[in-house]
Amino acid sequence: MKFHFLTIFPEMIRAYTDESILKRAQEKKLIAVAAVNPREYTKDKHRKVDDRAYGGGPGMVMLAEPLLRATEKLKLKGKKRKVIMLSPTGKQFTNELAKKWAKQYSDIVFICGRYEGVDDRVRKILKAEEVTVGPYVLTGGELPALTIADAVARQLSGVLGKGESIEENRTASPRTYTRPEVLTWKKKNYKVPKVLTMGNHKDIEEWRKSQQ
């Protein structure tokens, strides 16, 4: 699968995708990442990507043409592609969507808006789906796009290694512990729950379920 990020801050994308698990997934050719700057597809000497909104209002809006030209250069074909516009009013992203998109698409394009948003004709022309990662507003679409890409990528075979590494496929608990069994901190002792040290897998499984 290939993730395409249309952003005026491509270095933000690479700072995340070129580390850890996503970096290894790229090295194994399981995923590919492209960060495309729409400034490269402007026609004026100032490489302008924003302008005032019709009807007035605060802030600036990202222009349609640089984003459309950049998307056209991706040369995406077929139905196994999805274009996403990050928006706080969009469809709520879930892990179920991550699983579905991992199976359904070969290319996902993220339109990472800035300022007061993106000219809505981009959404109409590209048939983009508006998606949100939560009920809050961020300064740009890069972080939500990376969140979605990470969630989708980890559903692809081989990205996490063994299938059992996917946490949602096993009983997970927000309460986890490691060595030492008794941690002394500022003259107080903090112990690992006894059930986790006894080796009874059935009891451990029940305990984990109770902690979810």
Side-chain angles (χ1 to χ4, degrees), residues 5 18 30 32 73 94 97 106 110 118 134 138 162 169 205:
F5 298 83
D18 286 0
L30 299 173
K73 285 292 184 178
T94 65
L97 280 179
S106 61
F110 298 101
V118 177
L138 298 173
K162 296 180 180 180
N169 288 345
E205 194 77 1

Side-chain angles (χ1 to χ4, degrees), residues 57-183:
M60 307 289 273
V61 175
M62 292 189 74
L63 294 165
E65 288 186 89
L67 290 167
L68 293 172
R69 292 192 198 104
T71 306
E72 194 172 55
K73 285 292 184 178
L74 299 178
K75 296 181 179 179
L76 302 172
K77 296 180 181 180
K79 296 181 179 180
K80 298 191 71 175
R81 64 183 180 91
K82 186 171 187 64
V83 181
I84 293 173
M85 287 187 68
L86 289 309
S87 168
T89 60
K91 180 178 182 179
Q92 176 64 55
F93 178 71
T94 65
N95 207 53
E96 290 306 310
L97 280 179
K99 293 178 182 179
K100 178 181 177 182
W101 293 351
K103 293 179 181 179
Q104 192 170 354
Y105 301 110
S106 61
D107 292 84
I108 296 181
V109 181
F110 298 101
I111 308 294
C112 301
R114 280 271 158 178
Y115 316 118
E116 293 301 311
V118 177
D119 188 316
D120 196 50
R121 289 170 289 189
V122 173
R123 177 184 62 82
K124 293 178 181 177
I125 292 170
L126 298 179
K127 296 180 174 60
E129 181 174 9
E130 291 184 294
V131 178
T132 183
V133 295
Y136 44 82
V137 180
L138 298 173
T139 55
E142 289 80 10
L143 285 176
L146 286 167
T147 298
I148 293 172
D150 189 297
V152 173
R154 66 191 298 280
Q155 298 296 333
L156 299 171
S157 178
V159 169
L160 293 182
K162 296 180 180 180
E164 58 265 28
S165 295
I166 302 179
E167 286 87 347
E168 59 268 27
N169 288 345
R170 53 187 168 85
T171 303
S173 168
R175 315 285 183 235
T176 56
Y177 300 85
T178 185
R179 277 66 178 170
E181 186 176 332
V182 179
L183 172 66

